[in-house]
Amino acid sequence: ANSLLADPVLRQRCQFWYFIYNSGNPVVHSAARLRESLKGRIKELDPEGRDAALQQMVIIGHSQGGLLTKLTATDTGDKLWQAVLKTNRLADLKISAKEHALIPKYPTYTGRPLVKRAVFICTPHRGSYAAGGFVRNLAHKLVSLPSALVKRASEFAGLREKLDLPKEMRIARTSLDSMSPTNPFLQALADIPLAPGIKGNSIIAVQGDGDYHQGKDGLVSYDSAHVDYAESEFIVRSFHSCQDKPPTIEEVRRILHEHL
């Protein structure tokens, strides 16, 4: 961010905001918080919707943050529910009204109208090959979830069997459960394009000098980070944490100038 703010054009025309979240929490929980934070901030700063610049947001996310970014910029409809439920529609579930009220609304998203571009950096759209069973089990011992989320999971427990959810969706105890390559929710989200009017760009890190199509960055493979709906794709020869690398910074600078 400091390098980008040294650019006189970006310094004059862009304002950088930051969303801080607990990366151990399930992705859908953090994504909901991001969407709510954006909505609340805009309502506070521009309640009458007169500031055109606030309707031209570029959301940039690294790694798991890229999944949060995607969920501000896509219209999912029932596609995510269809990926995890045997019935095609939520309304067709044979459950009581009380049980229906327990089901989280997270799996249905619409693109935020203020977001016009999404930038994905090393984003595991199809999961991380490092999110294996041993690592996930270790995370369960080390990561504590918010009490409200734990209570919600407890209330939801009696409903899981009726929904007949895949095992990966029975309980997303941490973000690593969310990012398992076998998570059907994540696989379905990866195939959903960005909402109309929203552009996307990808920056993908690959270690070594070989064919990047077969490459990995230490946590995420190229196949997982690649999406067909990005209008540009830039390869950085780096480990997963490539945010401080000059090629990454220069590509973000190029994207922002193009957006302006």
Side-chain angles (χ1 to χ4, degrees), residues 204-212 215 235-239 242 245 247:
I204 300 175
V206 173
Q207 292 182 302
D209 298 324
D211 180 3
Y212 67 84
I235 304 299
V236 180
R237 297 292 178 170
S238 168
F239 176 68
C242 67
K245 300 297 185 290

Side-chain angles (χ1 to χ4, degrees), residues 6 25 44 83 87-88 92 98 124 129 150 160 188 202 205 220 243 258:
N25 289 345
E44 174 189 351
T87 180
N88 287 332
D92 293 338
K98 182 178 180 180
Y129 64 86
V150 173
R160 288 197 295 266
S202 287
V220 179
Q243 307 95 304
E258 181 175 310

Side-chain angles (χ1 to χ4, degrees), residues 1-251:
N2 286 337
S3 296
L4 294 172
L5 286 170
D7 182 307
V9 174
L10 298 184
R11 185 168 63 249
Q12 182 177 9
R13 299 188 60 188
C14 295
Q15 186 177 74
F16 289 81
W17 293 1
Y18 308 89
F19 176 68
I20 307 301
Y21 66 101
N22 185 335
S23 60
N25 289 345
V27 169
V28 291
H29 176 73
S30 298
R33 282 196 56 242
L34 171 57
R35 291 169 59 87
E36 291 163 2
S37 296
L38 284 174
K39 182 179 179 180
R41 195 70 173 141
I42 294 300
K43 184 177 181 180
E44 174 189 351
L45 296 174
D46 187 32
E48 297 180 0
R50 295 180 178 180
D51 190 335
L54 288 178
Q55 305 300 317
Q56 289 289 332
M57 287 193 177
V58 177
I59 310 294
I60 303 173
H62 171 263
S63 194
Q64 179 189 148
L67 298 176
L68 274 58
T69 296
K70 175 73 182 291
L71 289 170
T72 70
T74 190
D75 297 332
T76 65
D78 287 337
K79 293 179 181 177
L80 297 180
W81 273 120
Q82 290 175 16
V84 299
L85 296 177
K86 289 188 176 180
T87 180
N88 287 332
R89 297 192 311 138
L90 205 54
D92 293 338
L93 292 174
K94 295 180 179 180
I95 57 177
S96 68
K98 182 178 180 180
E99 289 173 324
H100 203 287
L102 289 175
I103 298 177
K105 292 183 172 61
Y106 296 156
T108 302
Y109 298 86
T110 56
R112 302 297 301 161
L114 48 83
V115 177
K116 295 298 185 289
R117 186 179 295 272
V119 181
F120 307 112
I121 305 178
C122 304
T123 299
H125 292 285
R126 295 173 183 83
S128 168
Y129 64 86
F134 172 79
V135 176
R136 294 211 305 275
N137 289 336
L138 181 61
H140 295 160
K141 297 178 180 180
L142 299 177
V143 175
S144 60
L145 299 179
S147 58
L149 192 59
V150 173
K151 180 181 178 181
R152 184 81 173 180
S154 177
E155 293 173 341
F156 191 58
L159 188 58
R160 288 197 295 266
E161 295 304 321
K162 291 184 179 181
L163 294 179
D164 196 20
L165 297 175
K167 64 178 181 178
E168 296 87 356
M169 299 295 295
R170 294 294 174 98
I171 179 169
R173 289 172 284 178
T174 70
S175 61
L176 282 174
D177 295 294
S178 305
M179 289 190 286
S180 167
T182 60
N183 187 331
F185 179 97
L186 198 59
Q187 301 304 317
L189 177 62
D191 292 334
I192 300 174
L194 297 176
I198 301 179
K199 297 180 179 180
N201 305 86
S202 287
I203 299 173
I204 300 175
V206 173
Q207 292 182 302
D209 298 324
D211 180 3
Y212 67 84
H213 294 94
Q214 309 299 321
K216 301 176 180 179
D217 66 9
L219 292 175
V220 179
S221 68
Y222 170 83
D223 284 343
S224 178
H226 169 81
V227 287
D228 292 335
Y229 41 81
E231 68 173 16
S232 71
E233 181 176 278
F234 185 81
I235 304 299
V236 180
R237 297 292 178 170
S238 168
F239 176 68
H240 183 69
S241 298
C242 67
Q243 307 95 304
D244 64 341
K245 300 297 185 290
T248 302
I249 297 170
E250 290 308 307
E251 177 63 2

